[in-house]
Amino acid sequence: MNMTRYSSNPIITKSDVKFKVNSIFNAGAVKFNDKYLLLCRIEMPIGRSSFVIAESSDGYNFTVGAKPVLTPEDHNEYFCYVEWGIEDSRITFLDGKYFITYTGYSKYMPLVMLAETEDFKSFKILGPISVPSNKDCAIFPEKINNYYWKVDRPSAENNRDIWISRSPDLLHWGGHKILMQPSAGTWEADKIGGSSDPVKTKDGWLMLYHGVRGFGISFIYKLGVVLLDLNEPWKVIGKSKGPILSPDENYERIGDVGNVVFSNGWIFEKDGSVKIYYSGADMNVCLAETSVEFLLSICK
Ligand code: BMA
């Protein structure tokens, strides 16, 4: 299987939300209690984002929750770092809990927030794990060499690279290393960022990332895939030669931010197939299907 868009894309739009939102997009994805669970970003009418859950038993037909499950106002002592919204979650199952990294947006500019949950009903907010500007953070699903690991993009306004770092406790991070840089004169010329949570395969850690190229006043967001060494995850051992998904359909071309495909969640099935949840033009939730073998083959 190569890469196939689901024929009934988009699978979720704002008309599926029972309360008033501007848009629903950029979902973290996980299988929880045999259900497909998407932690979707909803832009509220005022222009600030919260999270809502969409649930499905087949991965295609989703029901959106009746109210937001996490909002800036839920952040108590951390509210000043998320006052302008919470965005773009990545979910990692680790040590028997689900850890969620997401962007907190405020007058201080974007930074990386960390929360944990066991049931996706109550969330323990652990606070910022970076200073601004930083976003696109995802945590590896197990310890490597006795450390937890994360990727992120420091200095979101001026810096264009993906970095990797390690931690003894998920809260204190060090050992920062550059992981990947944009590639001049290509689809990923202007900036790159981590997209999905990293997933372990027999050949290495697979991770989706996004690449951005500016044309005049607009930017085109595409998706690529990268393979990292299992024991030394700061080593890139393979990478797709070009984008694996590019804005092409109307629902990816036209919207609040046109010409964008953006993903922050995927689900690996037992049969080797992979569901990539992504959003078109910052407006909806879509699905593309592929397989682990295909993703590995294009990284070689
Ligand atoms: C990135 C993030 C994403 C968004 C994308 C395209 O920087 O802000 O939330 O989908 O830009 O607008």
Side-chain angles (χ1 to χ4, degrees):
M1 193 200 289
N2 292 353
M3 183 84 171
T4 316
R5 281 177 177 82
Y6 181 53
S7 55
S8 302
N9 272 347
I11 57 170
I12 307 175
T13 66
K14 70 173 178 180
S15 63
D16 300 307
V17 186
K18 293 168 199 87
F19 50 94
K20 201 163 166 20
V21 298
N22 291 335
S23 49
I24 177 164
F25 61 117
N26 291 6
V30 72
K31 259 207 187 154
F32 177 68
N33 284 345
D34 285 330
K35 287 242 168 105
Y36 295 78
L37 191 151
L38 300 180
L39 189 60
C40 306
R41 170 176 169 190
I42 34 173
E43 194 189 281
M44 304 304 284
I46 190 180
R48 297 177 178 177
S49 292
S50 286
F51 293 146
V52 72
I53 283 176
E55 255 190 10
S56 165
S57 42
D58 62 8
Y60 302 93
N61 299 290
F62 281 86
T63 306
V64 181
K67 56 180 195 330
V69 74
L70 195 65
T71 70
E73 288 68 30
D74 295 329
H75 280 68
N76 302 319
E77 63 183 295
Y78 303 117
F79 178 69
C80 64
Y81 306 115
V82 299
E83 190 175 356
W84 293 357
I86 51 174
E87 307 178 350
D88 305 358
S89 61
R90 277 93 174 164
I91 305 169
T92 298
F93 185 66
L94 179 61
D95 296 346
K97 287 179 206 165
Y98 297 89
F99 287 90
I100 303 165
T101 48
Y102 53 100
T103 304
Y105 193 30
S106 73
K107 67 180 179 190
Y108 303 111
M109 299 317 290
L111 51 63
V112 177
M113 293 291 297
L114 178 67
E116 63 174 59
T117 185
E118 290 180 53
D119 57 10
F120 290 94
K121 289 187 182 118
S122 65
F123 297 84
K124 182 175 174 194
I125 294 157
L126 301 168
I129 54 167
S130 80
V131 293
S133 290
N134 197 319
K135 51 161 76 168
D136 298 326
C137 176
I139 293 175
F140 285 69
E142 61 185 64
K143 279 187 168 176
I144 308 163
N145 307 322
N146 289 319
Y147 284 105
Y148 299 105
W149 293 81
K150 72 165 164 54
V151 294
D152 58 16
R153 190 179 66 218
S155 214
E157 280 70 42
N158 314 311
N159 196 312
R160 307 158 338 118
D161 322 301
I162 303 177
W163 287 68
I164 186 165
S165 50
R166 55 166 208 252
S167 168
D169 58 5
L170 292 170
L171 297 176
H172 302 88
W173 294 90
H176 300 87
K177 283 191 164 88
I178 184 93
L179 181 67
M180 287 170 71
Q181 293 196 275
S183 172
T186 73
W187 65 280
E188 48 174 337
D190 287 318
K191 70 183 172 185
I192 55 172
S195 275
S196 67
D197 45 298
V199 170
K200 194 177 196 175
T201 72
K202 58 181 174 28
D203 296 339
W205 296 99
L206 265 184
M207 191 179 83
L208 292 174
Y209 73 100
H210 53 273
V212 184
R213 186 178 204 174
F215 286 96
I217 55 160
S218 85
F219 289 90
I220 304 190
Y221 278 71
K222 302 182 178 180
L223 284 180
V225 63
V226 61
L227 188 65
L228 309 176
D229 186 86
L230 280 181
N231 302 311
E232 299 176 313
W234 58 90
K235 290 189 179 159
V236 173
I237 54 177
K239 194 170 114 134
S240 52
K241 309 287 172 285
I244 62 165
L245 194 70
S246 306
D248 208 2
E249 302 292 333
N250 280 344
Y251 54 80
E252 300 161 345
R253 293 275 189 198
I254 302 160
D256 283 352
V257 188
N259 297 315
V260 172
V261 292
F262 192 91
S263 174
N264 41 300
W266 57 358
I267 288 178
F268 282 56
E269 304 283 16
K270 289 201 180 73
D271 66 2
S273 62
V274 179
K275 291 187 172 66
I276 297 177
Y277 293 97
Y278 74 95
S279 296
D282 283 1
M283 288 289 281
N284 52 45
V285 181
C286 296
L287 170 63
E289 293 181 282
T290 182
S291 67
V292 188
E293 281 315 316
F294 175 71
L295 293 172
L296 289 175
S297 72
I298 58 172
C299 286
K300 283 172 188 158

